[in-house]
Amino acid sequence: MKLFDVYPLNDITITKAQGSYVWDENGVQYLDMYGGHAVISIGHTHPHWVKRIEDQLEKIAFYSNSVHIPIQQQLADKLGKVSGKDDFQLFLVNSGAEANENAMKLASFHNGKKKIVAFKKAFHGRTSLAVAATDNKAIVTPLNETDNVDFLPYNDEAALKRYFQTNGKEVCAVIIEGIQGVGGINIATESFLQLIRRLCDQNDAVFIADEVQCGYGRTGKFFCLDHAGVQADIYTMAKGMGNGFPVGGILIAPHIQPKHGMLGTTFGGNHLACAAALAVLEVIEDENLIEFAKQRGMYLINRLKTIDGIENVRGKGLMIGFDVPEELKDLRKKLLYDFNIFTGEAKPNVIRLLPSLALSRKQSDEFLEALQEAIAELSPKAKKAGNVQQEEEVRTQD
Ligand SMILES: Cc1ncc(COP(=O)(O)O)c(C=O)c1O
């Protein structure tokens, strides 16, 4: 049977991983500045994470949500402590799209309304509602198209105010990434997030923070929204939550009340996923990874700003992006195939860095040096010099 061919693949097979490195089948080592798309939070195969999953596996891996699963409560307690949101409620799911899907459903159950405000360049996942709130026509099927979602320009306070003046009472929820990931590392301003909070309060709308990529400590605070001193009504989480074990969740403010049967999932909150998620939080706490990500991010951003050739370096903590000019368009490929470094991208010309929160100083320097060399080799001057040299070599061969 063939695999359904939807992924454009790099021609690499990874067979081993540890910390911020992965190895291919030929034993070649790669530095992972991409974290498998912001998923690797505490580092590949962290020994505490491996041990906790193994120990849990020997006891019980799964039972459905028809019985008590005490490890879910342990996870909720720990998450409340590490995130500072211990008065919130936790609902566990399996992925980022599922988290956003449930967040929007819950908002609509809560206030009985159906208009969702999302933003240009947003990415919220590929399930029905999540994709309808995603600003990419290419992945929205006719079946997902809906008039219930309106897209407004990101960070445009005047447009948001105007929209609420006319449609405010109909708005069920506003969903926003504090830093857009797939959209190219675009940072919401603090005053924009504060305005969303005010408008949601005034109009009985639910503020949903999609923290699937920018949350879980990546930006140097547990939630990206914490930088703005703003509290959402629902936070959605996934990627970094399990360090590669599939697990997602939503944190729900106390004023939103549950009802039996209103949400549900077979696999969400299974024993193994909770063990993985607990291990992640324990390591984040023990190794002080949120502060670590903040410091490491500042170091990387400051150094990147001094590098000629790349433009518009931006980000917070270890969620960083920069623009690559046309003449360096092969930079990401070069980093991967010539320097053995994985980075992320955002179309058309952004390189995204989403490494493990435990990236070391030495690994950061390794990346920065490689980046400078790669830029030098690709830059038009270097290319010209290279061509002259090649021509000379050809002539001498003659
Ligand atoms: C901000 C954001 N929300 C939601 C998702 C969807 O998550 P998943 O792929 O786990 O469904 C992603 C994935 O990239 C994301 O970046």
Side-chain angles (χ1 to χ4, degrees):
M1 186 191 283
K2 284 208 298 196
L3 294 172
F4 199 52
D5 187 11
V6 289
Y7 298 112
L9 299 178
N10 296 306
D11 192 15
I12 294 173
T13 306
I14 294 174
T15 53
K16 199 177 97 173
Q18 194 180 45
S20 289
Y21 291 108
V22 298
W23 287 263
D24 72 11
E25 57 194 338
N26 304 312
V28 176
Q29 177 179 292
Y30 295 79
L31 177 64
D32 188 6
M33 296 297 289
Y34 172 54
H37 206 147
V39 165
I40 301 305
S41 45
I42 58 171
H44 289 281
T45 60
H46 191 291
H48 180 67
W49 178 85
V50 172
K51 173 137 192 346
R52 232 188 189 290
I53 294 173
E54 278 174 356
D55 289 352
Q56 186 60 48
L57 196 50
E58 294 197 347
K59 290 187 209 140
I60 176 171
F62 171 81
Y63 204 79
S64 83
N65 283 300
S66 60
V67 295
H68 290 292
I69 301 178
I71 196 169
Q72 290 184 355
Q73 188 58 52
Q74 288 171 35
L75 175 57
D77 291 344
K78 191 68 158 177
L79 194 48
K81 182 169 173 247
V82 179
S83 69
K85 307 266 179 262
D86 45 12
D87 56 337
F88 275 53
Q89 311 154 80
L90 172 65
F91 178 68
L92 288 160
V93 294
N94 308 282
S95 68
E98 205 186 337
N100 287 327
E101 195 79 18
N102 278 285
M104 288 184 274
K105 276 178 71 178
L106 184 54
S108 184
F109 272 135
H110 174 69
N111 59 21
K113 298 193 273 180
K114 56 185 184 184
K115 206 42 135 197
I116 300 287
V117 173
F119 294 96
K120 297 264 180 312
K121 292 199 172 179
F123 185 92
H124 298 299
R126 289 166 182 270
T127 56
S128 182
L129 253 179
V131 85
T134 288
D135 184 24
N136 179 355
K137 287 219 160 47
I139 64 169
V140 178
T141 75
L143 190 58
N144 307 130
E145 278 168 16
T146 169
D147 292 336
N148 288 332
V149 180
D150 285 325
F151 291 96
L152 301 185
Y154 197 70
N155 279 336
D156 186 337
E157 294 184 23
L160 188 65
K161 280 186 197 154
R162 267 199 311 276
Y163 181 89
F164 265 87
Q165 263 159 18
T166 344
N167 309 286
K169 292 296 164 215
E170 285 170 48
V171 176
C172 166
V174 177
I175 183 166
I176 186 165
E177 299 156 82
I179 299 182
Q180 291 186 326
V182 175
I185 312 293
N186 308 314
I187 304 175
T189 62
E190 295 189 1
S191 67
F192 192 61
L193 295 170
Q194 287 155 1
L195 177 63
I196 294 175
R197 178 68 278 168
R198 281 201 302 282
L199 292 170
C200 283
D201 287 342
Q202 288 161 9
N203 292 278
D204 183 31
V206 174
F207 187 163
I208 302 173
D210 179 346
E211 298 264 353
V212 167
Q213 187 167 150
C214 61
Y216 243 78
R218 175 155 298 283
T219 66
K221 298 255 187 210
F222 191 83
F223 287 124
C224 185
L225 243 65
D226 296 342
H227 291 281
V230 165
Q231 182 143 287
D233 299 308
I234 304 180
Y235 294 89
T236 65
M237 312 164 290
K239 293 183 185 292
M241 188 172 183
N243 196 46
F245 197 100
V247 53
I250 60 180
L251 284 192
I252 304 152
H255 69 277
I256 300 178
Q257 296 295 317
K259 237 197 233 156
H260 280 179
M262 94 201 290
L263 304 178
T265 151
T266 299
F267 292 119
N270 69 77
H271 297 73
L272 261 190
C274 289
L278 262 171
V280 168
L281 288 172
E282 285 158 357
V283 173
I284 285 182
E285 233 187 359
D286 291 351
E287 299 184 9
N288 200 15
L289 288 185
I290 300 181
E291 178 60 24
F292 202 85
K294 181 177 159 194
Q295 299 300 334
R296 189 69 69 238
M298 275 184 334
Y299 175 72
L300 269 169
I301 289 171
N302 287 339
R303 289 280 312 273
L304 283 166
K305 282 185 171 160
T306 66
I307 294 180
D308 283 342
I310 58 172
E311 292 158 5
N312 198 11
V313 176
R314 60 208 181 260
K316 279 200 173 116
L318 289 172
M319 185 162 185
I320 300 171
F322 52 84
D323 296 346
V324 175
E326 177 60 21
E327 68 262 25
L328 298 181
K329 64 181 185 329
D330 293 329
L331 183 58
R332 188 165 165 263
K333 255 198 215 137
K334 188 165 189 68
L335 283 168
L336 182 57
Y337 291 109
D338 294 353
F339 292 87
N340 300 334
I341 296 177
F342 277 94
T343 56
E345 71 176 336
K347 299 259 183 299
N349 67 334
V350 179
I351 286 190
R352 275 191 291 166
L353 305 179
L354 303 158
S356 150
L357 309 187
L359 185 82
S360 72
R361 169 80 178 257
K362 187 167 159 283
Q363 288 157 346
S364 310
D365 288 338
E366 195 181 318
F367 168 70
L368 291 162
E369 274 160 41
L371 179 67
Q372 275 165 299
E373 265 182 64
I375 291 172
E377 286 177 25
L378 284 174
S379 68
K381 258 193 247 146
K383 266 200 204 143
K384 235 192 229 159
N387 289 345
V388 173
Q389 199 183 344
Q390 259 177 14
E391 275 164 27
E392 272 168 11
E393 274 164 20
V394 172
R395 257 184 256 124
T396 20
Q397 277 165 13
D398 287 347

